[in-house]
Structures are given as structure tokens and as C-alpha cells.
Amino acid sequence: MKFETLAIHAGQEPDPNNGAVMTPVYFTSTYKQDGVGKPRQGYEYSRTSNPTRKALQDCLAALEGGEYGLAFASGLAATDTVLRLLDAGAHVLAGNDVYGGTFRLFDKVLRRFSLDFTFADTTDPESVADALTPSTRLVWLETPTNPLLRVTDIRAVAEIVHAHPNRPLLVVDNTFATPYLQRPLELGADIVVHSMTKYLGGHSDVVGGAVIVKDKELAEKLFFLQNAVGAVLGPMDAFLVLRGIKTLSLRMDRHAENAMAIVKFLESHKAVEKVIYPFHESHPQVKIAKRQMKNGGGMISFLHKGGREAAVKMVESTHLFTLAESLGGVESLIEVPAAMTHLSVAGSQLDVNPALVRLSVGIEHVDDLIADLKQALEM
Ligand code: P1T
């Protein structure tokens, strides 16, 4: 079946008890057993498994072209659980432009558990090859990255990583693209991670994370960790994400259509130094982006010519674009990453230009969005 059909039906059947078309929200922590050690339909306890969460997990697996999906309480909980596949002493090679919270988890938390991290420019497959060490067990990519929208050739990096004698795991955080635009498992990645808080949920009303894999053995390790660590998604949140996913394709098409028009507006505005968008001709990896993504997505970053102060003034002057962290909802958001979502990378190798403005372009009418940006740029 095609993506749009899977988004509505995968993992979801009318309820066998009463025919309810929408997946019920199973608010239960535990399940009656028919005898000692005889759970019904495999459900024992909701940290381990819950039917609403299972429907979402199965849907996610189908959308990413994987076999197994796992849902977590947040994107970072998903990331943390994946990193727990590793043993102390392992080296992780990560992209040098990742979400500030991912960097903070790696640098400030997981280093304390004797994992070693280095950050490299993954848009250049050669730098990945150079940065692999005999201890590398995992390579972590975002593409497009947050907030610079850099694009990594997943297939090229997968070939390099898998040719290494350790065969490290290649993980792709697919939050910005979503499986509608890009399917990393089909390009050679071993694990896909999402912040479902963003486009998958799509309505800024839920925090959640996901992990999707193809390999059975890897899935067994991850299901063990999901249960043993316990950072699971609750049933109400699973329902909200299931509902959000049903319109993912429509939303992503409109996000991208609006973003393209806004890119055109921004590039011709005198207060804008540089516009960054994966499908724009000036983007250094535009060819790769067009090869591995269906459209350019809904995220735009741009440098304000007036520097930090002008950027701050501008984001404080919009009316429709809400000044807020996060992204991927139907409503448009605006922020200054250096002072907000990426504050935790300040002073590190991942430092972000303070004049950078990030837009999460919503699905409002594009004329209203452009008018709002115009008045804010011209305040
Ligand atoms: O917020 P959470 O659901 O825990 O997801 C973390 C995360 C992981 N990966 C990417 C690419 C992300 O963008 C995020 C969260 N990002 C923001 C909150 C933000 O505004 O950039």
C-alpha cells in the first residue's frame, strides 16, 4: 500500500470488541491473566506493552519501511534508549549540527557513563571516514539538521560506516523530514529516531519519541531496553500521534509549498543576508536533498543582516508566527536558535550564529504568513 493509505490504516483495525473505528485509548496499567503466566493476547503490564501504543508503533514501522516501531515519552527518551545499546568505552561519532538537547544529552549526561563522543561534518562522507575509530560503535546523523538544515547523503555515509570493521550502527534522526519525505532505512540506516513532538504529532499538543528498525535482533534489544528503562509513551499521547499521522502527507505538502513561497520572499528582502532551505538552488547539498527527499519540508533558517539584536527584535515583532521553541505543528513558529533551542551548544564546536532565525512554517495561508514576516522585518 502507498504511504497515504498506510498513514491512515497501518497498525489500526476496527476494535474487535465493538467495532470502534478509531483506536481506543487503553487507559490501563495492567491486564487480567487467564492463569499464572498466561497473559491474554500478550499484554501483561503497560510499561511493557499497551494496545494503543502498539497500534502507533506498528504504524510507525510501516511508514518508515521498517519492521518494528517503539514509542517513547519524548524524542530525547528515544535517543537515550538507543544509546543504551552501547557499552562503556564505546565511541559515538555524531554530526556537528544537531538539536541542542541531543548534544546536551551526549556531552553532559552520557559522557559521564564512559561513552565517548566526537562531532564531525557528516555532509562530507570523507570526514565521516576520517573520524571513525577502532572504538566507534554508533554514528548519529540528523538530516536535514537542526538548525542549519544541512543535508547528509545517507546512502554514501551508510556505505562508509558499514564497511568499517566494527560495523557501527547508523542512526538517522528523521524528525525534520518525516517518513513522508525521506526513508533512511531504505537508504541503508540501521535505526531511525523521531521526535514525534514535531511533524508526526503535527499539532503541538503532545511530546513523544520513536525508534524504528528492520532487524529483528536489534529490535529485541531495543524492546528489552524500552521495558527495562521504562521511558514509554502513554496511551493518550499515542492516540494523539496516531491521529496526527493520518494527515501527515497533506500537511507536509502544504508546509513545503508555503516554505518555498516564503524562501522566495526572504531571498529578495534587503534585511536578509542568507536563506537556508534544502530545496533552494543555493543550498550546498541541494542535489542530494532532491534525490533523497520528496520535498524540502517546512523548516527555513535565515541570517538577519542586522545581527543578533535585529534578529531578536524581528522574532519579537511577529503576530502570526509565534515566538516559541519546537516545530512541525500546523501553526507557524519563529525563534532564534542561539538563544533558545540551541543554548546548550553555546561555546562548543556546534555554536550557532546569534543572527540566525529559524522558521517552522505552518499551514496557514501563505499570504498572511509573508505579510507577517514583512512587517516584522521592516519594524
Ligand atoms: O523534544 P523531544 O521530543 O524530546 O525531541 C528532541 C529532538 C530530537 N531531535 C530533533 C531533530 C529535535 O528537533 C528535537 C527537539 N527539538 C526542539 C524542541 C526544537 O525546537 O528544535
Side-chain angles (χ1 to χ4, degrees), residues 58-98:
D58 291 350
C59 182
L60 292 164
L63 296 186
E64 285 287 0
E67 293 291 332
Y68 308 92
L70 300 94
F72 294 88
S74 70
L76 286 180
T79 300
D80 180 64
T81 303
V82 168
L83 271 285
R84 286 171 195 257
L85 288 166
L86 306 178
D87 295 320
H91 169 249
V92 176
L93 172 62
N96 65 359
D97 182 44
V98 291

Side-chain angles (χ1 to χ4, degrees), residues 7 12 96 118 199 253 358:
Q12 299 155 78
N96 65 359
T118 55
Y199 291 106
D253 282 341
R358 190 186 78 179

Side-chain angles (χ1 to χ4, degrees), residues 72-79 98-102 140-147 173-176 193-198 206-210 299 324-327 333 335 337 340-342 358:
F72 294 88
S74 70
L76 286 180
T79 300
V98 291
Y99 168 54
T102 302
W140 184 276
L141 298 184
E142 269 180 28
T143 180
T145 60
N146 182 1
D173 180 334
N174 202 26
T175 298
F176 271 35
V193 167
H194 279 279
S195 168
M196 300 194 296
T197 316
K198 311 302 181 317
V206 62
V207 173
M299 300 300 295
E325 305 202 356
S326 202
L327 58 112
L333 303 179
E335 67 129 0
M340 296 172 66
T341 53
H342 289 69
R358 190 186 78 179

Side-chain angles (χ1 to χ4, degrees), residues 3 35 171 231 287 309 321 334 342 353 371:
F3 187 92
V171 186
K287 276 204 187 119
E309 248 170 72
F321 276 85
I334 190 165
H342 289 69
N353 188 327

Side-chain angles (χ1 to χ4, degrees), residues 250-276:
L250 297 172
R251 287 187 284 109
M252 292 314 291
D253 282 341
R254 179 61 69 85
H255 284 299
E257 198 183 302
N258 283 355
M260 264 326 256
I262 289 173
V263 164
K264 288 212 171 76
F265 161 73
L266 289 172
E267 72 180 343
S268 64
H269 199 283
K270 59 181 188 319
V272 174
E273 172 101 37
K274 182 184 169 194
V275 185
I276 309 170

